[in-house]
Amino acid sequence: MSEHEEQLSTNAPAGDQKNIALLVHLSGIILGFIPSLIVYLIKQSEGPSWLLEQVKEALNFQITVLIAFIVCWVLAFVLIGALLMPLVWLTNLVLCIVAAVKVSNGASYRYPFALRLIK
């Protein structure tokens, strides 16, 4: 076993943590920030962990998407928002799927456009 494989095996999250993180990232596509908020409120008392890091990442991104949709809705009155809304939805879809694939492999994922509101 190489040094890199040993490091991955010692830092790798448990199967349950990977499954919960996977569900949190994917559920953001349909349910927004609610699932990640629920898991965050449940897991925050357990202290720092890989799962809590991923849940905070998903929560921050879904809050960012919500803000983007609100801005698009306001801008829809000048027709720009109506054009941007599908783009925001598609970005949410693609990045949530990418995040789910990464965490299913046990890797951490940081969304590129997320506001870091929850630290």
Side-chain angles (χ1 to χ4, degrees), residues 1-2 22 27 32 42 60 65 72 75-76 101 111 115-116:
M1 186 183 284
S2 72
L22 175 75
S27 63
I42 292 169
N60 282 328
V65 169
C72 286
L75 290 176
V101 169
Y111 288 96
L115 300 173
R116 310 283 179 232

Side-chain angles (χ1 to χ4, degrees), residues 94-114:
V94 169
L95 291 178
C96 285
I97 291 172
V98 169
V101 169
K102 292 280 188 179
V103 299
S104 71
N105 293 327
S108 293
Y109 184 74
R110 283 184 66 92
Y111 288 96
F113 305 115

Side-chain angles (χ1 to χ4, degrees), residues 54-77:
Q54 290 305 303
V55 169
K56 283 194 267 188
E57 196 62 32
L59 181 58
N60 282 328
F61 182 67
Q62 291 306 321
I63 291 171
T64 303
V65 169
L66 177 65
I67 292 169
F69 273 123
I70 291 170
V71 169
C72 286
W73 184 79
V74 170
L75 290 176
F77 295 109

Side-chain angles (χ1 to χ4, degrees), residues 14-61:
D16 287 344
Q17 287 185 345
K18 287 195 301 188
N19 291 338
I20 293 170
L22 175 75
L23 289 174
V24 165
H25 285 293
L26 285 179
S27 63
I29 296 169
I30 304 293
L31 302 172
F33 70 93
I34 302 297
S36 54
L37 178 63
I38 292 169
V39 175
Y40 175 74
L41 292 174
I42 292 169
K43 295 292 184 181
Q44 75 178 5
S45 63
E46 295 177 8
S49 68
W50 179 85
L51 176 60
L52 187 61
E53 173 191 327
Q54 290 305 303
V55 169
K56 283 194 267 188
E57 196 62 32
L59 181 58
N60 282 328
F61 182 67

